[in-house]
């Protein structure tokens, strides 16, 4: 178990390096620099989730592997929470990207903005994939996690090589999105019989709230435009991404949203039995 888990973890870690190697080899260090900057920013939602729920997920699934109903409820709750944390952070980065990059790193890094916006698609998919990986490890099937990581490595290596030759760093970013999307679809297929989940219930509300938040942002930009100084422009976009998503989530699925947020709050306070 330990050997297989270790190899699968190593293979998963390679996913964040193979694309850099391919891009640097084919397109050179300048393109790699912009790509690396964009990739590191796009990882912010995943780093936050890994710190908050990622490491606890494996132990939770391990304790519940013999109780399929409680395992389903826990996996559903973990996926829903992960998506509802990842989306507003991703929206925050997506809509404020040009101003945020200028504010934090300077004008010279603006070519990384289009790459960042492509890679943020992968940052939405990645938490769902990572949670599936935790299910495989926690339920004692690390071989599945290894198969999943190797599949993604092959997809990333092939797609990144072809697309980087054609589109430089943009192609590499598209390949990264493709690799994680394929990984999520494969994980869903692998879990279909072992742990059937209602993906529509998990994803529909957050995705609808995300669409409404983006539509609201477009309307606000037409009304007020970009504000000066730069930090104010970043601030209002960040606030809108966070508060707008919460508001639309409440409007789209009021009962479910409040029940799950309330349950999560009781867990934080150490009162899960009240759910």
């Amino acid at each position: 178990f330990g050997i297989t888990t270790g190899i699968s973890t190593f293979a998963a870690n390679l996913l964040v390096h193979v694309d850099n190697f391919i891009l640097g080899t084919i397109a050179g260090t300048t393109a790699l620099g912009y790509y690396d900057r964009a990739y590191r920013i796009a990882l912010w939602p995943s780093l936050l989730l890994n710190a908050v729920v990622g490491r606890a997920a494996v132990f939770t699934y391990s304790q519940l592997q013999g109780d399929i109903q409680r395992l389903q409820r826990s996996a559903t709750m973990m996926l829903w929470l992960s998506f509802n944390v990842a989306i507003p952070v991703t929206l925050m980065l997506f809509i404020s990207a040009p101003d945020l990059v200028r504010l934090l790193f300077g004008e010279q890094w603006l070519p990384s903005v289009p790459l960042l916006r492509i890679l943020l698609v992968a940052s939405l998919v990645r938490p769902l994939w990572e949670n599936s990986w935790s299910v495989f490890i926690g339920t004692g099937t690390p071989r599945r996690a290894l198969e999943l990581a190797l599949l993604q490595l092959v997809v990333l290596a092939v797609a990144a090589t072809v697309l980087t030759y054609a589109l430089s760093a943009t192609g590499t970013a598209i390949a990264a999105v493709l690799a994680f999307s394929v990984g999520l679809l494969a994980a869903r297929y692998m879990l279909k019989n072992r742990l059937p989940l209602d993906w529509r219930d998990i994803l529909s509300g957050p995705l609808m709230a995300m669409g409404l938040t983006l539509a609201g942002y477009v309307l606000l930009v037409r009304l007020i435009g970009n504000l000066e100084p730069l930090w104010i422009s970043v601030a209002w976009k960040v606030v809108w991404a966070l508060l707008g998503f919460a508001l639309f989530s409440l409007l789209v699925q009021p009962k479910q949203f409040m029940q799950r947020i309330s349950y999560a709050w009781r867990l934080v306070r150490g009162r899960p039995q009240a759910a």
Side-chain angles (χ1 to χ4, degrees), residues 15-16 19 35-43 119 126 176 180:
L15 286 169
V16 300
D19 49 351
Y35 180 84
D36 184 67
R37 176 67 68 190
Y39 199 102
R40 289 178 184 274
I41 298 173
L43 280 178
L119 290 168
R126 183 167 178 155
F180 276 105

Side-chain angles (χ1 to χ4, degrees), residues 9-86:
T9 302
F10 176 74
N13 288 333
L14 283 179
L15 286 169
V16 300
H17 298 293
V18 169
D19 49 351
N20 287 346
F21 174 77
I22 293 172
L23 176 60
T25 302
I26 295 175
T29 55
T30 300
L32 176 60
Y34 291 132
Y35 180 84
D36 184 67
R37 176 67 68 190
Y39 199 102
R40 289 178 184 274
I41 298 173
L43 280 178
W44 289 358
S46 180
L47 293 174
L48 174 63
L49 282 168
N50 193 49
V52 175
V53 298
R55 300 191 182 280
V58 173
F59 304 109
T60 300
Y61 298 147
S62 178
Q63 290 180 338
L64 300 178
Q65 60 181 302
D67 189 336
I68 187 63
Q69 291 185 343
R70 292 181 65 197
L71 182 61
Q72 283 178 317
R73 289 197 299 267
S74 295
T76 297
M77 186 67 177
M78 196 76 75
L79 285 166
W80 186 86
L81 283 174
S82 296
F83 217 42
N84 276 273
V85 172

Side-chain angles (χ1 to χ4, degrees), residues 125 129 148 151 179-191:
V125 176
W129 172 84
L148 186 61
L151 171 64
F180 276 105
S181 300
V182 169
L184 178 60
L185 293 175
R188 182 180 177 183
Y189 177 79
M190 292 176 180
L191 289 170

Side-chain angles (χ1 to χ4, degrees), residues 158-182:
V158 173
T161 300
V162 174
L163 293 175
T164 301
Y165 270 114
L167 301 171
S168 188
T170 301
T172 313
I174 294 172
V177 173
L178 179 63
F180 276 105
S181 300
V182 169

Side-chain angles (χ1 to χ4, degrees), residues 124-253:
L124 281 179
V125 176
R126 183 167 178 155
L128 303 179
W129 172 84
E130 288 179 340
N131 194 75
S132 300
W133 188 89
S134 297
V135 171
F136 293 135
I137 300 297
T139 56
T141 54
R143 182 177 176 180
R144 287 294 193 183
L146 176 58
E147 293 171 351
L148 186 61
L150 292 177
L151 171 64
Q152 286 184 277
L153 273 175
V154 171
V155 172
L156 180 59
V158 173
T161 300
V162 174
L163 293 175
T164 301
Y165 270 114
L167 301 171
S168 188
T170 301
T172 313
I174 294 172
V177 173
L178 179 63
F180 276 105
S181 300
V182 169
L184 178 60
L185 293 175
R188 182 180 177 183
Y189 177 79
M190 292 176 180
L191 289 170
K192 187 175 182 180
N193 295 324
R194 183 178 183 85
L195 184 64
L197 298 173
D198 189 345
W199 289 91
R200 182 178 179 181
D201 174 67
I202 296 168
L203 301 180
S204 60
L207 288 176
M208 289 176 64
M210 179 179 70
L212 291 170
T213 305
L214 283 173
Y217 166 71
V218 172
L219 179 62
L220 287 172
V221 167
R222 290 185 177 181
L223 291 175
I224 65 177
N226 288 315
L227 303 177
E228 295 293 342
L230 192 58
W231 70 269
I232 293 180
S233 182
V234 173
W236 84 260
K237 293 173 183 178
V238 168
V239 170
W240 171 251
L242 300 178
L243 296 184
F245 179 78
L247 173 63
F248 287 122
S249 294
L250 184 60
L251 291 176
V252 169
Q253 292 181 318

